[in-house]
Amino acid sequence: MRAIPTSTDFDMSATLRILDEASGHYLSGSKEDEAIQLASIALLYIQHTRKLEAFFQYNQEFSAPSPHVKVSRDFPTQSDADAWLAAGNASHGELVRIAGQGFQAVLLPTGRRFLRTPLPEELGPPRSK
């Protein structure tokens, strides 16, 4: 499992070069190119506003698996989960297990979706520091 980067080992220049290279694989102005450009600008903004340390602290909290994750429902198949979601029974952010994998129900203006959210047991044992 890859280590979660921290502000002390983060190389902004290298990351921006990687994003620039990645954007070269897409047509200029495409959704993918725009998303990569926005990610680059967001990183520069975080650095400019001196929030890089706070961002990496948030990233650590966001990425750290919690042993106290509560799965509200367990579905044997994707079709079972999709039917439940379509029926309007999901709360935004609700965590469910579908065929052994974690997903979060999200309620977007464009409709209800499942966002892949690995469960702690999918990520393996916690890393030692």
Side-chain angles (χ1 to χ4, degrees):
M1 178 180 294
R2 292 190 59 204
I4 300 169
T6 64
S7 62
T8 56
D9 60 11
F10 178 70
D11 184 342
M12 178 70 78
S13 296
T15 301
L16 292 173
R17 281 193 304 275
I18 291 167
L19 288 170
D20 186 51
E21 180 184 330
S23 73
H25 295 280
Y26 300 99
L27 293 174
S28 181
S30 67
K31 287 183 179 183
E32 295 84 358
D33 179 58
E34 289 177 1
I36 292 168
Q37 295 304 317
L38 186 60
S40 297
I41 292 167
L43 285 172
L44 290 169
Y45 177 78
I46 291 167
Q47 183 180 43
H48 175 75
T49 58
R50 300 183 194 325
K51 299 290 185 184
L52 199 58
E53 187 64 41
F55 170 75
F56 278 103
Q57 181 179 348
Y58 174 78
N59 184 44
Q60 289 279 1
E61 293 167 5
F62 183 84
S63 301
S66 170
H68 307 291
V69 172
K70 183 172 190 239
V71 175
S72 67
R73 299 200 179 254
D74 207 329
F75 298 98
T77 67
Q78 183 71 48
S79 60
D80 291 333
D82 290 340
W84 173 79
L85 188 65
N89 298 322
S91 298
H92 182 75
E94 190 169 353
L95 190 62
V96 299
R97 184 181 292 112
I98 304 170
Q101 296 184 323
F103 290 85
Q104 192 173 33
V106 292
L107 312 179
L108 304 172
T110 56
R112 300 166 188 273
R113 303 273 184 269
F114 286 115
L115 175 66
R116 182 72 170 96
T117 308
L119 299 169
E121 62 263 23
E122 293 177 74
L123 299 174
R127 294 182 302 271
S128 59
K129 294 186 178 191

Coordinates of all heavy atoms in Angstrom, one line a residue, residues 1-84:
M1 N 0.8 -1.2 0.0 CA 0.0 0.0 0.0 C 0.9 1.2 0.0 O 1.9 1.3 0.7 CB -0.9 0.0 1.2 CG -1.8 1.2 1.3 SD -2.8 1.2 2.8 CE -3.8 -0.2 2.4
R2 N 0.5 2.2 -0.8 CA 1.3 3.5 -0.9 C 1.1 4.3 0.4 O 0.0 4.4 0.9 CB 0.9 4.3 -2.1 CG 1.3 3.6 -3.4 CD 1.1 4.5 -4.6 NE 1.9 5.7 -4.4 CZ 1.6 6.8 -4.9 NH1 0.6 7.0 -5.7 NH2 2.4 7.9 -4.7
A3 N 2.2 5.0 0.7 CA 2.1 5.9 1.9 C 1.3 7.1 1.5 O 1.4 7.6 0.3 CB 3.5 6.3 2.4
I4 N 0.6 7.7 2.4 CA -0.1 9.0 2.1 C 0.9 10.1 2.2 O 1.6 10.2 3.2 CB -1.2 9.2 3.1 CG1 -2.2 8.0 3.1 CG2 -1.9 10.5 2.9 CD1 -3.2 8.0 4.2
P5 N 1.0 10.9 1.1 CA 2.1 12.0 1.2 C 1.8 13.0 2.3 O 0.6 13.2 2.7 CB 2.0 12.6 -0.2 CG 0.7 12.2 -0.8 CD 0.3 11.0 -0.1
T6 N 2.8 13.6 2.7 CA 2.7 14.7 3.7 C 3.3 16.0 3.1 O 4.0 15.9 2.0 CB 3.4 14.4 5.0 OG1 4.8 14.3 4.7 CG2 2.9 13.1 5.6
S7 N 3.1 17.1 3.7 CA 3.7 18.4 3.1 C 5.2 18.3 3.1 O 5.8 19.0 2.3 CB 3.2 19.6 3.9 OG 3.6 19.5 5.3
T8 N 5.8 17.6 4.0 CA 7.3 17.5 4.0 C 7.9 16.7 2.9 O 9.0 17.0 2.5 CB 7.8 17.0 5.4 OG1 7.2 15.7 5.6 CG2 7.4 17.9 6.5
D9 N 7.1 15.7 2.4 CA 7.7 15.0 1.2 C 7.0 15.2 -0.1 O 7.2 14.6 -1.1 CB 7.6 13.5 1.5 CG 6.3 12.9 1.8 OD1 5.3 13.6 1.6 OD2 6.2 11.8 2.3
F10 N 6.1 16.3 -0.1 CA 5.4 16.6 -1.3 C 6.3 17.6 -2.2 O 6.8 18.5 -1.7 CB 4.1 17.4 -1.0 CG 3.3 17.8 -2.2 CD1 2.7 16.9 -3.0 CD2 3.2 19.2 -2.4 CE1 2.0 17.3 -4.1 CE2 2.5 19.6 -3.5 CZ 1.9 18.7 -4.4
D11 N 6.4 17.2 -3.5 CA 7.2 18.0 -4.4 C 6.2 18.7 -5.4 O 5.7 18.0 -6.4 CB 8.2 17.1 -5.1 CG 9.1 17.9 -6.1 OD1 8.8 19.0 -6.5 OD2 10.2 17.3 -6.4
M12 N 5.9 19.9 -5.2 CA 4.9 20.7 -6.0 C 5.3 20.7 -7.5 O 4.5 20.4 -8.3 CB 4.7 22.1 -5.5 CG 3.7 22.9 -6.3 SD 2.0 22.4 -6.2 CE 1.6 23.1 -4.6
S13 N 6.6 21.0 -7.7 CA 7.1 21.1 -9.1 C 6.9 19.8 -9.8 O 6.5 19.7 -11.0 CB 8.5 21.5 -9.2 OG 8.7 22.8 -8.6
A14 N 7.3 18.7 -9.2 CA 7.2 17.4 -9.8 C 5.7 17.0 -10.1 O 5.4 16.5 -11.1 CB 7.8 16.3 -9.0
T15 N 4.9 17.3 -9.1 CA 3.4 17.0 -9.3 C 2.8 17.8 -10.4 O 2.1 17.3 -11.2 CB 2.7 17.3 -7.9 OG1 3.3 16.5 -6.9 CG2 1.2 17.0 -8.1
L16 N 3.2 19.1 -10.5 CA 2.7 19.9 -11.6 C 3.2 19.4 -13.0 O 2.5 19.4 -14.0 CB 3.0 21.4 -11.4 CG 2.3 22.1 -10.2 CD1 2.9 23.5 -10.0 CD2 0.8 22.1 -10.4
R17 N 4.4 18.9 -13.0 CA 5.0 18.4 -14.3 C 4.2 17.1 -14.6 O 3.9 16.9 -15.8 CB 6.5 18.0 -14.1 CG 7.4 19.3 -14.3 CD 8.8 18.9 -14.4 NE 9.4 18.0 -13.4 CZ 9.8 18.5 -12.2 NH1 9.9 19.8 -12.0 NH2 10.3 17.7 -11.3
I18 N 3.9 16.3 -13.6 CA 3.1 15.1 -13.9 C 1.7 15.4 -14.4 O 1.2 14.8 -15.4 CB 3.0 14.2 -12.6 CG1 4.4 13.6 -12.3 CG2 2.0 13.1 -12.8 CD1 4.5 13.0 -10.9
L19 N 1.1 16.4 -13.8 CA -0.2 16.8 -14.3 C -0.2 17.4 -15.7 O -1.1 17.1 -16.5 CB -0.9 17.8 -13.3 CG -1.3 17.2 -12.0 CD1 -1.7 18.4 -11.0 CD2 -2.5 16.3 -12.1
D20 N 0.9 18.1 -16.0 CA 1.0 18.7 -17.3 C 1.2 17.6 -18.3 O 0.6 17.6 -19.4 CB 2.2 19.7 -17.3 CG 2.4 20.4 -18.6 OD1 1.4 21.0 -19.1 OD2 3.5 20.4 -19.2
E21 N 2.0 16.6 -18.0 CA 2.2 15.5 -18.9 C 0.9 14.7 -19.1 O 0.6 14.3 -20.2 CB 3.3 14.5 -18.3 CG 3.5 13.3 -19.2 CD 4.5 12.3 -18.6 OE1 5.4 12.8 -17.8 OE2 4.4 11.1 -18.9
A22 N 0.2 14.5 -18.0 CA -1.1 13.8 -18.1 C -2.1 14.6 -19.0 O -2.8 14.0 -19.8 CB -1.7 13.6 -16.8
S23 N -2.1 15.9 -18.9 CA -3.0 16.7 -19.7 C -2.7 16.6 -21.2 O -3.5 16.7 -22.1 CB -3.1 18.1 -19.3 OG -1.9 18.8 -19.7
G24 N -1.4 16.3 -21.5 CA -1.0 16.1 -22.9 C -1.6 14.9 -23.6 O -1.6 14.8 -24.8
H25 N -2.2 14.0 -22.8 CA -2.8 12.8 -23.4 C -4.3 13.0 -23.8 O -4.9 12.1 -24.3 CB -2.8 11.6 -22.3 CG -1.4 11.2 -22.0 ND1 -0.7 10.3 -22.9 CD2 -0.5 11.5 -21.0 CE1 0.5 10.1 -22.3 NE2 0.6 10.8 -21.2
Y26 N -4.7 14.3 -23.5 CA -6.1 14.6 -23.9 C -6.2 15.8 -24.8 O -5.3 16.6 -24.8 CB -6.9 14.9 -22.6 CG -7.0 13.7 -21.7 CD1 -6.1 13.6 -20.6 CD2 -7.8 12.6 -21.9 CE1 -6.1 12.5 -19.7 CE2 -7.8 11.5 -21.0 CZ -7.0 11.5 -20.0 OH -7.0 10.4 -19.1
L27 N -7.2 15.9 -25.5 CA -7.4 17.1 -26.4 C -7.6 18.3 -25.6 O -8.2 18.3 -24.5 CB -8.7 16.9 -27.3 CG -8.6 15.8 -28.3 CD1 -10.0 15.7 -29.0 CD2 -7.5 16.1 -29.3
S28 N -6.9 19.4 -26.0 CA -7.0 20.7 -25.3 C -8.5 21.1 -25.3 O -9.2 21.0 -26.3 CB -6.2 21.7 -26.1 OG -6.3 23.0 -25.4
G29 N -9.0 21.5 -24.1 CA -10.4 21.9 -23.9 C -11.3 20.7 -23.6 O -12.5 21.0 -23.3
S30 N -10.8 19.5 -23.6 CA -11.7 18.3 -23.3 C -12.0 18.4 -21.8 O -11.3 19.1 -21.0 CB -11.0 17.0 -23.6 OG -9.9 16.8 -22.8
K31 N -13.0 17.6 -21.4 CA -13.3 17.6 -19.9 C -12.1 17.1 -19.1 O -11.9 17.6 -18.0 CB -14.5 16.7 -19.7 CG -15.8 17.3 -20.1 CD -17.0 16.4 -19.8 CE -18.3 17.0 -20.2 NZ -19.5 16.2 -19.9
E32 N -11.4 16.1 -19.6 CA -10.3 15.5 -18.9 C -9.2 16.6 -18.8 O -8.6 16.8 -17.7 CB -9.7 14.3 -19.6 CG -10.7 13.1 -19.7 CD -11.7 13.2 -20.8 OE1 -11.7 14.2 -21.6 OE2 -12.5 12.2 -20.9
D33 N -8.9 17.3 -19.9 CA -7.9 18.3 -19.8 C -8.3 19.4 -18.9 O -7.4 19.9 -18.1 CB -7.7 18.9 -21.2 CG -6.6 20.0 -21.3 OD1 -5.5 19.8 -20.9 OD2 -7.0 21.2 -21.7
E34 N -9.5 19.8 -18.9 CA -10.0 20.9 -18.0 C -9.9 20.4 -16.5 O -9.5 21.2 -15.6 CB -11.4 21.3 -18.3 CG -11.5 22.1 -19.6 CD -12.9 22.4 -20.0 OE1 -13.9 22.1 -19.3 OE2 -13.1 23.1 -21.1
A35 N -10.2 19.2 -16.2 CA -10.1 18.6 -14.9 C -8.7 18.7 -14.4 O -8.4 19.0 -13.2 CB -10.7 17.2 -14.8
I36 N -7.7 18.3 -15.2 CA -6.3 18.3 -14.9 C -5.8 19.7 -14.6 O -5.1 20.0 -13.7 CB -5.5 17.5 -15.9 CG1 -5.8 16.0 -15.9 CG2 -4.0 17.7 -15.7 CD1 -5.3 15.3 -17.1
Q37 N -6.2 20.6 -15.5 CA -5.8 22.0 -15.3 C -6.4 22.6 -14.0 O -5.7 23.3 -13.3 CB -6.3 22.9 -16.5 CG -5.6 22.5 -17.8 CD -4.1 22.5 -17.8 OE1 -3.5 23.5 -17.2 NE2 -3.5 21.5 -18.3
L38 N -7.6 22.2 -13.7 CA -8.3 22.7 -12.5 C -7.5 22.1 -11.3 O -7.3 22.8 -10.3 CB -9.7 22.3 -12.4 CG -10.5 22.9 -11.3 CD1 -10.5 24.4 -11.3 CD2 -12.0 22.4 -11.3
A39 N -7.1 20.9 -11.3 CA -6.4 20.3 -10.2 C -5.0 21.0 -10.0 O -4.6 21.3 -8.9 CB -6.1 18.8 -10.5
S40 N -4.4 21.4 -11.1 CA -3.1 22.1 -11.0 C -3.3 23.5 -10.4 O -2.6 23.9 -9.5 CB -2.5 22.3 -12.4 OG -2.2 21.1 -13.0
I41 N -4.4 24.2 -10.8 CA -4.7 25.5 -10.3 C -5.0 25.4 -8.8 O -4.6 26.2 -8.0 CB -5.8 26.2 -11.1 CG1 -5.3 26.5 -12.5 CG2 -6.3 27.4 -10.4 CD1 -6.4 26.9 -13.5
A42 N -5.8 24.3 -8.4 CA -6.2 24.1 -7.0 C -4.9 23.9 -6.1 O -4.8 24.5 -5.0 CB -7.1 22.9 -6.9
L43 N -4.0 23.1 -6.6 CA -2.7 22.9 -5.9 C -2.0 24.3 -5.7 O -1.5 24.6 -4.6 CB -1.9 21.9 -6.5 CG -2.3 20.5 -6.4 CD1 -1.4 19.6 -7.3 CD2 -2.2 20.0 -4.9
L44 N -1.9 25.0 -6.8 CA -1.2 26.3 -6.7 C -1.9 27.3 -5.7 O -1.3 28.0 -5.0 CB -1.1 26.9 -8.1 CG -0.1 26.2 -9.0 CD1 -0.2 26.7 -10.4 CD2 1.3 26.4 -8.5
Y45 N -3.2 27.3 -5.7 CA -4.0 28.1 -4.8 C -3.8 27.7 -3.4 O -3.6 28.6 -2.5 CB -5.5 28.0 -5.2 CG -6.4 28.8 -4.2 CD1 -6.5 30.2 -4.4 CD2 -7.1 28.2 -3.2 CE1 -7.3 30.9 -3.5 CE2 -7.9 28.9 -2.3 CZ -8.0 30.3 -2.5 OH -8.7 31.0 -1.6
I46 N -3.8 26.4 -3.1 CA -3.5 25.9 -1.7 C -2.2 26.4 -1.3 O -2.0 26.8 -0.1 CB -3.7 24.4 -1.7 CG1 -5.1 24.0 -1.9 CG2 -3.1 23.8 -0.4 CD1 -5.3 22.5 -2.1
Q47 N -1.2 26.3 -2.2 CA 0.2 26.8 -1.8 C 0.2 28.3 -1.6 O 0.8 28.8 -0.6 CB 1.2 26.4 -2.9 CG 2.6 26.7 -2.6 CD 3.5 26.3 -3.7 OE1 3.2 26.5 -4.9 NE2 4.7 25.7 -3.3
H48 N -0.4 29.0 -2.5 CA -0.4 30.5 -2.5 C -1.1 31.0 -1.2 O -0.7 32.0 -0.6 CB -1.2 31.0 -3.7 CG -1.3 32.5 -3.7 ND1 -0.3 33.4 -4.0 CD2 -2.4 33.3 -3.5 CE1 -0.7 34.6 -3.9 NE2 -2.0 34.6 -3.6
T49 N -2.2 30.3 -0.8 CA -2.9 30.8 0.4 C -2.3 30.2 1.7 O -2.9 30.4 2.8 CB -4.4 30.4 0.3 OG1 -4.5 29.0 0.2 CG2 -5.1 31.1 -0.8
R50 N -1.1 29.6 1.6 CA -0.4 29.0 2.7 C -1.3 28.0 3.5 O -1.3 27.9 4.7 CB 0.1 30.1 3.6 CG 1.0 31.1 3.0 CD 1.5 32.0 4.0 NE 2.2 33.2 3.6 CZ 3.0 33.5 2.7 NH1 3.3 32.6 1.8 NH2 3.6 34.7 2.5
K51 N -2.0 27.2 2.7 CA -2.8 26.1 3.3 C -2.4 24.7 3.0 O -3.1 23.8 3.2 CB -4.3 26.3 2.8 CG -4.9 27.6 3.2 CD -5.2 27.7 4.6 CE -5.9 29.0 4.9 NZ -6.2 29.2 6.3
L52 N -1.1 24.6 2.5 CA -0.6 23.3 2.2 C -0.6 22.3 3.3 O -1.0 21.2 3.2 CB 0.8 23.4 1.5 CG 1.2 22.3 0.7 CD1 0.3 22.0 -0.5 CD2 2.6 22.6 0.1
E53 N -0.1 22.8 4.5 CA 0.0 21.9 5.7 C -1.4 21.5 6.1 O -1.7 20.3 6.4 CB 0.7 22.7 6.8 CG 0.9 21.8 8.0 CD 1.9 20.6 7.7 OE1 2.9 20.8 7.0 OE2 1.6 19.5 8.2
A54 N -2.4 22.4 6.1 CA -3.8 22.1 6.4 C -4.4 21.1 5.4 O -5.1 20.2 5.8 CB -4.6 23.4 6.5
F55 N -4.0 21.3 4.2 CA -4.5 20.4 3.1 C -4.0 18.9 3.4 O -4.8 18.0 3.3 CB -4.1 20.8 1.7 CG -4.4 19.8 0.7 CD1 -5.7 19.6 0.2 CD2 -3.4 19.0 0.2 CE1 -5.9 18.6 -0.7 CE2 -3.6 18.1 -0.8 CZ -4.9 17.9 -1.2
F56 N -2.7 18.8 3.7 CA -2.2 17.5 3.9 C -2.7 16.9 5.2 O -2.8 15.7 5.3 CB -0.6 17.5 3.8 CG -0.2 17.5 2.4 CD1 0.3 18.6 1.8 CD2 -0.2 16.3 1.7 CE1 0.7 18.6 0.5 CE2 0.1 16.2 0.4 CZ 0.6 17.4 -0.3
Q57 N -3.0 17.7 6.2 CA -3.6 17.1 7.4 C -5.0 16.6 7.1 O -5.4 15.5 7.5 CB -3.7 18.2 8.5 CG -4.3 17.7 9.8 CD -4.4 18.8 10.8 OE1 -3.8 19.9 10.7 NE2 -5.1 18.5 11.9
Y58 N -5.7 17.4 6.3 CA -7.1 16.9 5.8 C -6.9 15.6 5.0 O -7.7 14.7 5.2 CB -7.8 18.0 5.0 CG -9.0 17.5 4.4 CD1 -10.2 17.4 5.2 CD2 -9.1 17.1 3.0 CE1 -11.4 17.0 4.6 CE2 -10.3 16.7 2.5 CZ -11.4 16.6 3.3 OH -12.6 16.2 2.7
N59 N -5.9 15.6 4.1 CA -5.7 14.4 3.3 C -5.4 13.2 4.2 O -5.9 12.1 3.9 CB -4.5 14.6 2.3 CG -4.3 13.5 1.4 OD1 -5.3 12.9 0.8 ND2 -3.1 13.1 1.2
Q60 N -4.6 13.3 5.2 CA -4.3 12.2 6.2 C -5.6 11.7 6.8 O -5.9 10.5 6.9 CB -3.3 12.7 7.3 CG -1.9 12.9 6.8 CD -1.1 11.6 6.6 OE1 -1.6 10.5 6.9 NE2 0.1 11.8 6.2
E61 N -6.4 12.7 7.3 CA -7.7 12.3 8.0 C -8.6 11.6 7.0 O -9.3 10.7 7.3 CB -8.3 13.5 8.6 CG -7.5 14.1 9.7 CD -8.0 15.5 10.1 OE1 -9.0 16.0 9.6 OE2 -7.4 16.1 11.0
F62 N -8.7 12.2 5.8 CA -9.6 11.7 4.7 C -9.2 10.3 4.3 O -10.0 9.4 4.1 CB -9.6 12.6 3.5 CG -10.5 12.2 2.4 CD1 -11.9 12.6 2.5 CD2 -10.1 11.5 1.4 CE1 -12.7 12.2 1.5 CE2 -10.9 11.1 0.3 CZ -12.3 11.5 0.4
S63 N -7.9 10.0 4.2 CA -7.4 8.8 3.7 C -7.2 7.7 4.7 O -7.1 6.5 4.3 CB -6.1 9.0 3.0 OG -6.2 10.0 1.9
A64 N -7.1 8.0 6.0 CA -6.9 7.0 7.0 C -8.1 6.2 7.2 O -9.2 6.7 7.5 CB -6.5 7.7 8.3
P65 N -7.9 4.9 7.1 CA -9.1 4.0 7.4 C -9.5 4.0 8.9 O -8.6 4.1 9.7 CB -8.6 2.6 7.0 CG -7.1 2.7 7.0 CD -6.7 4.1 6.8
S66 N -10.8 4.0 9.1 CA -11.3 4.0 10.5 C -11.8 2.6 10.8 O -12.6 2.1 10.0 CB -12.4 5.0 10.6 OG -13.0 4.9 11.9
P67 N -11.4 2.1 11.9 CA -11.9 0.8 12.3 C -13.4 0.9 12.8 O -14.0 -0.1 13.0 CB -11.0 0.4 13.5 CG -10.5 1.6 14.1 CD -10.4 2.6 12.9
H68 N -13.9 2.1 12.9 CA -15.3 2.3 13.4 C -16.2 2.7 12.2 O -17.2 3.3 12.5 CB -15.3 3.3 14.5 CG -14.3 3.0 15.6 ND1 -14.5 1.9 16.4 CD2 -13.2 3.6 15.9 CE1 -13.4 1.9 17.3 NE2 -12.6 2.9 17.0
V69 N -15.9 2.3 11.0 CA -16.8 2.6 9.9 C -18.1 1.8 10.0 O -18.0 0.5 10.2 CB -16.0 2.3 8.6 CG1 -17.0 2.4 7.4 CG2 -14.9 3.2 8.4
K70 N -19.2 2.4 9.9 CA -20.5 1.7 10.0 C -21.1 1.6 8.6 O -21.4 2.6 8.0 CB -21.4 2.5 10.9 CG -22.7 1.7 11.1 CD -23.6 2.4 12.2 CE -24.7 1.4 12.5 NZ -26.0 1.8 12.3
V71 N -21.3 0.4 8.2 CA -22.0 0.1 6.9 C -23.4 -0.1 7.2 O -23.8 -0.9 8.0 CB -21.4 -1.2 6.3 CG1 -22.1 -1.6 5.0 CG2 -19.9 -1.0 5.9
S72 N -24.3 0.7 6.6 CA -25.7 0.7 6.9 C -26.5 -0.5 6.2 O -27.4 -1.0 6.8 CB -26.4 2.0 6.5 OG -26.4 2.2 5.1
R73 N -26.0 -0.9 5.1 CA -26.7 -2.0 4.3 C -25.6 -2.8 3.6 O -24.6 -2.3 3.2 CB -27.7 -1.4 3.3 CG -28.7 -0.6 4.0 CD -29.9 -0.5 3.1 NE -31.0 0.3 3.7 CZ -32.1 -0.3 4.2 NH1 -32.3 -1.5 4.1 NH2 -33.0 0.5 4.8
D74 N -26.0 -4.1 3.4 CA -25.1 -5.0 2.7 C -26.0 -5.6 1.6 O -27.0 -6.3 1.8 CB -24.7 -6.1 3.7 CG -23.4 -6.7 3.3 OD1 -23.1 -6.8 2.1 OD2 -22.6 -7.1 4.2
F75 N -25.5 -5.4 0.3 CA -26.2 -5.9 -0.8 C -25.4 -7.0 -1.5 O -24.2 -6.8 -1.8 CB -26.5 -4.8 -1.9 CG -27.4 -3.7 -1.3 CD1 -26.8 -2.5 -0.8 CD2 -28.7 -3.8 -1.3 CE1 -27.6 -1.5 -0.3 CE2 -29.5 -2.8 -0.8 CZ -29.0 -1.6 -0.3
P76 N -26.1 -8.1 -1.9 CA -25.3 -9.2 -2.5 C -24.9 -8.8 -4.0 O -23.9 -9.3 -4.5 CB -26.3 -10.4 -2.5 CG -27.6 -9.8 -2.3 CD -27.4 -8.5 -1.6
T77 N -25.7 -8.0 -4.6 CA -25.5 -7.7 -6.0 C -25.6 -6.2 -6.3 O -26.3 -5.5 -5.6 CB -26.4 -8.4 -7.0 OG1 -27.8 -7.9 -6.8 CG2 -26.4 -9.9 -6.8
Q78 N -25.0 -5.7 -7.4 CA -25.1 -4.3 -7.8 C -26.6 -4.0 -8.1 O -27.1 -2.9 -7.8 CB -24.2 -4.1 -9.0 CG -24.2 -2.6 -9.5 CD -23.5 -1.7 -8.5 OE1 -22.4 -2.0 -8.0 NE2 -24.1 -0.6 -8.2
S79 N -27.3 -4.9 -8.8 CA -28.7 -4.7 -9.2 C -29.6 -4.5 -7.9 O -30.5 -3.6 -7.9 CB -29.2 -5.7 -10.1 OG -29.2 -7.0 -9.4
D80 N -29.3 -5.2 -6.9 CA -30.1 -5.0 -5.6 C -29.8 -3.6 -5.1 O -30.7 -2.9 -4.6 CB -29.7 -6.1 -4.6 CG -30.1 -7.5 -4.9 OD1 -31.1 -7.6 -5.6 OD2 -29.5 -8.4 -4.5
A81 N -28.5 -3.2 -5.1 CA -28.2 -1.9 -4.5 C -28.8 -0.8 -5.4 O -29.3 0.2 -4.9 CB -26.7 -1.8 -4.5
D82 N -28.7 -1.0 -6.7 CA -29.3 0.1 -7.6 C -30.8 0.2 -7.4 O -31.3 1.4 -7.5 CB -29.0 -0.3 -9.1 CG -27.5 -0.2 -9.4 OD1 -26.8 0.5 -8.7 OD2 -27.1 -0.8 -10.4
A83 N -31.5 -0.9 -7.2 CA -32.9 -0.8 -7.0 C -33.2 0.0 -5.7 O -34.1 0.8 -5.6 CB -33.5 -2.2 -6.9
W84 N -32.4 -0.3 -4.6 CA -32.6 0.4 -3.4 C -32.3 1.9 -3.6 O -33.1 2.8 -3.1 CB -31.7 -0.2 -2.3 CG -31.6 0.5 -1.0 CD1 -32.5 0.5 0.0 CD2 -30.5 1.4 -0.6 NE1 -32.1 1.2 1.0 CE2 -30.9 1.8 0.7 CE3 -29.4 1.8 -1.2 CZ2 -30.1 2.7 1.4 CZ3 -28.6 2.7 -0.5 CH2 -28.9 3.1 0.8

